[in-house]
Amino acid sequence: MAESGDRDKSGRPTNNRMPSAPTHTAEEARLLGAMPVDPMDDIELRSVQLQFPNSRGSIGGTCDMRRVPTDKGDILVAIQGDPTKPAILTYHDLGLNYLSSFAGFFNYPTMRGLLENFCVYHVTAPGQEEGAPTLPEDYVYPTMEELAAQLLFVLSHFGLKSVIGFGVGAGGNILARFALANPEKVGALCLINCVSTAAGWIEWGYQTFNARFLRTKGMTQSVVDYLMWHHFGRNLEERNHDLVQMYKNHFERSINPTNLGMWIYAYIHRTDLNIARTPSGTPQNNTTLKMPVINITGALSPHVDDTVTLNGRLDPTNSSWMKIQDCAMVLEEQPGKLAEAFRLFLQGEGYAVGALQKLARAATIESLTA
């Protein structure tokens, strides 16, 4: 029995040791699912960390990898699903690629079911794939407008007349530019943590240093800290530790810092999208996105205000804004809620309604029986 000095104010015994410490009785050990004698060792910790890369690799093994030639060099496109089905085209955010950005989300049960009704074309920005060689010194990285224009080559290469855009962060900005320039080629848009304005002075100055460090010193701690803030916001200690650590490792080890520095430089020199909501009662013009748009952010994201600004510039008759609680990196922290929102969005636009309703019922049954 614990002495009175070992109890907190509520009268409960205090215990600052790991649950697997050898002071547990055999009964306590069975209830806690812990070994009564042996503490958790490094092998167990390593096995937990390896679960994430393995689950992500499953999508890579199912994709058909293609190099698509464009006027600004080849880009990598990963095709997932039946090419005869309607196309979803994804574009990732800074510091990521198709695998690190979308593998976990499209491996989620509901999203795996979507692949029966769609084919997903995952576009990776130039030089951002894992293990990418350093781009030549004389390579001029495409501007954001030129990155958007590259998607015309992707659609032409695969014979796609129209796509559903699914973009995150910088990738959402690129897809929005493509949709503005080619409205007939985009049936709908899902934009997550998307910025529609030019970079402000603080962002421009901070990111200029990041881009310079990446190209001269490699991946410094300050750049990693920025990327973690960009994707997760603040209070990392209160988030999923394994997820946070996985992305730290990814930024430190899996991306080419020189290539990332080039893309960051292009991103901070982005122009404003120059879109505006047409006042009610006036004729519609070409100053905003014409296709249906779902504009999503995470409540903990540092980009919430940017998505609110974007929402105020979209046509309210064909757009909606959604804030998902308890997350910043929506695809990773709340995949179920995002998958449901995306499913309803597609269903509302008339895509594979019956099949998606069946998927929703199956997902509900699975969650109830889990």
Side-chain angles (χ1 to χ4, degrees):
M1 179 181 295
E3 297 295 330
S4 58
D6 295 326
R7 294 177 180 271
D8 60 19
K9 293 181 180 180
S10 64
R12 292 176 297 185
T14 59
N15 185 359
N16 296 323
R17 287 172 287 196
M18 293 288 289
S20 55
T23 54
H24 288 303
T25 65
E27 182 179 5
E28 288 173 330
R30 286 194 298 271
L31 291 174
L32 291 171
M35 292 296 291
V37 176
D38 297 331
M40 188 184 301
D41 59 19
D42 289 339
I43 295 176
E44 291 174 315
L45 289 174
R46 286 196 297 270
S47 68
V48 171
Q49 292 174 346
L50 286 172
Q51 290 176 11
F52 290 93
N54 286 342
S55 66
R56 296 177 169 281
S58 63
I59 188 178
T62 62
C63 288
D64 180 13
M65 310 300 295
R66 302 282 186 88
R67 285 278 176 184
V68 177
T70 77
D71 60 341
K72 299 295 179 181
D74 293 354
I75 55 175
L76 180 68
V77 180
I79 304 96
Q80 184 182 12
D82 184 351
T84 64
K85 301 295 177 67
I88 296 174
L89 190 146
T90 73
Y91 215 119
H92 57 91
D93 202 356
L94 298 175
L96 303 176
N97 50 55
Y98 91 92
L99 197 59
S100 56
S101 185
F102 298 111
F105 181 64
F106 280 90
N107 200 37
Y108 194 75
T110 301
M111 296 309 297
R112 283 204 307 268
L114 274 180
L115 295 180
E116 298 177 4
N117 303 278
F118 296 91
C119 183
V120 187
Y121 296 80
H122 300 287
V123 178
T124 295
Q128 306 305 311
E129 61 269 23
E130 293 186 14
T134 300
L135 294 169
E137 290 186 10
D138 59 349
Y139 179 78
V140 179
Y141 205 86
T143 64
M144 294 295 282
E145 288 80 6
E146 290 170 338
L147 288 170
Q150 282 185 316
L151 299 180
L152 282 173
F153 292 88
V154 174
L155 268 65
S156 176
H157 184 86
F158 295 108
L160 305 175
K161 295 182 178 180
S162 178
V163 298
I164 300 164
F166 190 101
V168 184
N173 185 280
I174 290 169
L175 284 176
R177 292 176 190 277
F178 178 74
L180 282 168
N182 306 276
E184 74 286 354
K185 297 185 181 299
V186 181
L189 272 178
C190 178
L191 304 176
I192 301 170
N193 292 332
C194 181
V195 179
S196 63
T197 57
W201 284 109
I202 295 177
E203 179 190 2
W204 186 89
Y206 197 91
Q207 286 279 54
T208 297
F209 281 110
N210 281 338
R212 184 178 304 165
F213 288 151
L214 283 165
R215 299 175 75 169
T216 59
K217 299 182 180 180
M219 184 61 68
T220 65
Q221 186 58 50
S222 63
V223 177
V224 173
D225 291 342
Y226 166 77
L227 289 172
M228 294 302 294
W229 171 85
H230 178 81
H231 292 289
F232 287 97
R234 302 189 185 279
N235 302 321
L236 292 180
E237 67 280 357
E238 299 176 7
R239 315 294 272 283
N240 183 310
H241 174 75
D242 292 322
L243 185 65
V244 168
Q245 191 59 47
M246 182 187 72
Y247 275 94
K248 280 185 178 179
N249 292 340
H250 170 75
F251 296 140
E252 292 171 349
R253 304 172 185 174
S254 300
I255 56 179
N256 186 304
T258 301
N259 297 354
L260 176 59
M262 292 183 182
W263 190 21
I264 287 179
Y265 187 82
Y267 182 63
I268 59 176
H269 286 83
R270 67 186 182 272
T271 57
D272 192 291
L273 290 181
N274 290 320
I275 57 176
R277 177 178 296 181
T278 303
S280 178
T282 61
Q284 295 293 314
N285 52 42
N286 294 322
T287 59
T288 193
L289 294 167
K290 296 299 183 182
M291 65 291 303
V293 180
I294 182 170
N295 173 25
I296 299 175
T297 188
L300 303 179
S301 171
H303 311 294
V304 172
D305 290 344
D306 294 313
T307 65
V308 172
T309 298
L310 173 60
N311 184 61
R313 308 173 85 180
L314 297 175
D315 183 350
T317 64
N318 68 356
S319 65
S320 59
W321 179 77
M322 180 179 182
K323 181 167 70 174
I324 298 180
Q325 297 299 316
D326 303 320
C327 67
M329 202 171 190
V330 184
L331 281 79
E332 295 291 348
E333 297 182 279
Q334 293 289 359
K337 292 181 180 179
L338 178 58
E340 178 68 4
F342 189 50
R343 180 189 69 80
L344 292 173
F345 175 62
L346 293 177
Q347 181 177 314
E349 299 307 318
Y351 290 99
V353 175
L356 292 175
Q357 288 177 333
K358 182 179 179 181
L359 279 172
R361 288 194 296 269
T364 301
I365 294 173
E366 182 179 345
S367 64
L368 292 175
T369 57

